[in-house]
Amino acid sequence: EFIKDDERRRYLLDEFIKTEANYLSTLKAFVSLIVEPLRQRAKDRNAAIIGQYECAKIFMNIDDLVHVTNDFYNDLVQYRQHPEGKSLGDVCLKHVKRCDCYNNFLLGVHNARIINEKQLKNGAYLNFLEKAKNSKGSGSETVYDYLALPGQRVGRYTMYFKELIKHTTDDHVDLPGLRQALVKAENIANMTEEIHTQIMKIFRRLLQSIQHCPESLISFQRRFVSYIDATEIDVQTSKPIQYVTLFLFSDKVMLVRRPASDVDGLDLCGLDQRMDNNGSDHRTEFFIPKEANTGKLKFIGWANLTDLDVFTGTGKIRDCYFFLLLLFIYFVFCYVFVRQDQFIYIAV
């Protein structure tokens, strides 16, 4: 319901810009004092405090959030200085439409907090964070606090948009854009919950389809990344031993036995992948198109990605983040793996 209060409306705009500036400043401090130094040091094995994999999982796409927030703030300031011929609603809508990067961040934030807590047992990491906290330009925020900010900010967006709409007349040029911006901001928060629900359905389907699959497969912190059907061969005779499917998750790789070479492991689970909208052969997220063919797949084992070592012709690769890249290359170019003496050797 409209409530005429131009003074309140001006105050809301000023407060919106002020809090956006504070939010942006805090994000930039997080990146400059903590994120970027750790990322740079992670590139050097001898200087690394935490690995590249841990950096990617804890800090995720924080740079994207800084970028969209910086652009939003600059346009808000420009609007306040020169509002003639402009619509605040259009400005808000333009930038909220660019906030899809928040979905990926908010989906991974719980897992990021868990990994961060584990890394706090690392004395070097703990000392680094203490020094960063005490450095010039840093506040008292912990990594946990920084990770919570984007979710809190999305909530603030919806609050500001609702309040601005309340003090905006039906014929005001700002109203259409503000209403659409509000819907988009609410969708970002709601979509996170919907995606979590869909992810749980996928994992429950895998659990239902694979005999003896551990119930611990189901986790809000885990993502199903990719899969590939492969053949286990005897090292000495080069003859097939069994047909298997490898399922790659964000934190583990799982090996299951499938009944024959001409059946698809994902299809036996009653799962499929959507095609990219741009018309390419690239496949995106998983979905459930049909019932699972239960009992055909049998769990063999799985391992944490951080516990795996990768060997190439030049030696051992210790960085698990690079392992993920190598494993993706394997998914594209390789169809055979060899298991011997409880170790898995990826043939690339």
Side-chain angles (χ1 to χ4, degrees), residues 23 27 30-31 35 39 59-67 105 146-147 150:
Y23 172 56
L27 288 183
F30 181 36
V31 172
V35 178
R39 284 175 176 169
F59 307 130
M60 300 175 286
N61 61 334
I62 189 68
D63 307 275
D64 295 336
L65 273 59
V66 172
H67 182 67
F105 188 91
Y146 285 122
L147 293 174

Side-chain angles (χ1 to χ4, degrees), residues 174-190:
D174 290 346
L175 190 61
L178 286 174
R179 283 177 171 168
Q180 293 180 61
L182 173 60
V183 171
K184 180 65 177 176
E186 289 177 334
N187 284 343
I188 291 172
N190 295 335

Side-chain angles (χ1 to χ4, degrees), residues 12-249:
L12 286 169
L13 176 57
D14 290 341
E15 184 68 12
F16 188 17
I17 295 174
K18 178 182 176 181
T19 55
E20 190 75 355
N22 292 337
Y23 172 56
L24 176 60
S25 176
T26 304
L27 288 183
K28 286 183 174 180
F30 181 36
V31 172
S32 63
L33 295 174
I34 296 176
V35 178
E36 197 56 33
L38 287 172
R39 284 175 176 169
Q40 292 302 318
R41 294 190 66 164
K43 295 177 182 179
D44 183 347
R45 185 181 304 172
N46 297 321
I49 295 175
I50 60 175
Q52 288 181 300
Y53 175 82
E54 287 74 22
C55 284
K57 289 299 179 181
I58 296 173
F59 307 130
M60 300 175 286
N61 61 334
I62 189 68
D63 307 275
D64 295 336
L65 273 59
V66 172
H67 182 67
V68 299
T69 303
N70 187 73
D71 290 347
F72 193 7
Y73 170 70
N74 288 335
D75 275 2
L76 286 172
V77 172
Q78 286 293 321
Y79 170 81
R80 183 171 59 180
Q81 293 175 345
H82 306 286
E84 302 83 7
K86 298 179 183 177
S87 164
L88 174 61
D90 290 345
V91 172
C92 293
L93 179 60
K94 169 188 172 182
H95 291 284
V96 174
K97 281 183 175 180
R98 298 178 59 206
C99 287
D100 288 341
C101 55
Y102 276 79
N103 289 328
N104 291 333
F105 188 91
L106 296 176
L107 279 172
V109 73
H110 186 72
N111 189 45
R113 288 169 176 164
I114 292 174
I115 296 175
N116 176 66
E117 289 297 320
K118 291 180 179 178
Q119 292 302 312
L120 290 176
K121 298 176 183 178
N122 173 356
Y125 181 59
L126 189 59
N127 290 336
F128 172 85
L129 295 180
E130 286 297 322
K131 290 180 180 178
K133 186 186 296 186
N134 296 329
S135 65
K136 183 178 180 180
S138 176
S140 60
E141 292 89 352
T142 64
V143 171
Y144 187 96
D145 296 328
Y146 285 122
L147 293 174
L149 284 174
Q152 295 169 355
R153 191 59 188 168
V154 171
R156 297 286 285 182
Y157 285 160
T158 61
M159 184 198 75
Y160 279 119
F161 295 154
K162 286 178 180 178
E163 283 296 304
L164 284 167
I165 289 171
K166 185 188 298 184
H167 302 291
T168 303
T169 59
D170 289 341
D171 59 351
H172 199 290
V173 68
D174 290 346
L175 190 61
L178 286 174
R179 283 177 171 168
Q180 293 180 61
L182 173 60
V183 171
K184 180 65 177 176
E186 289 177 334
N187 284 343
I188 291 172
N190 295 335
M191 189 181 299
T192 302
E193 183 176 346
E194 291 171 4
I195 292 174
H196 272 304
T197 301
Q198 180 63 17
I199 288 172
M200 288 303 100
K201 289 181 179 179
I202 296 293
F203 281 124
R204 281 194 290 269
R205 174 58 62 88
L206 290 171
L207 188 64
Q208 171 191 357
S209 307
I210 302 170
Q211 289 187 42
H212 312 304
C213 183
E215 292 187 4
S216 58
L217 171 72
I218 297 179
S219 170
F220 279 109
Q221 293 79 53
R222 182 170 293 129
R223 300 290 173 268
F224 184 13
V225 178
S226 191
Y227 86 104
I228 189 172
D229 294 325
T231 301
E232 182 179 355
I233 62 174
D234 186 276
V235 179
Q236 297 180 349
T237 66
S238 297
K239 293 182 178 180
I241 298 175
Q242 61 182 343
Y243 304 105
V244 299
T245 299
L246 289 95
F247 292 96
L248 177 66
F249 303 103

Side-chain angles (χ1 to χ4, degrees), residues 325-344:
L325 177 60
L326 186 62
L327 197 57
F328 270 119
I329 296 173
Y330 160 68
F331 280 168
V332 176
F333 295 108
C334 175
Y335 296 88
V336 177
F337 79 95
V338 182
R339 188 180 66 184
Q340 182 184 30
D341 298 329
Q342 306 303 316
F343 292 95
I344 295 177

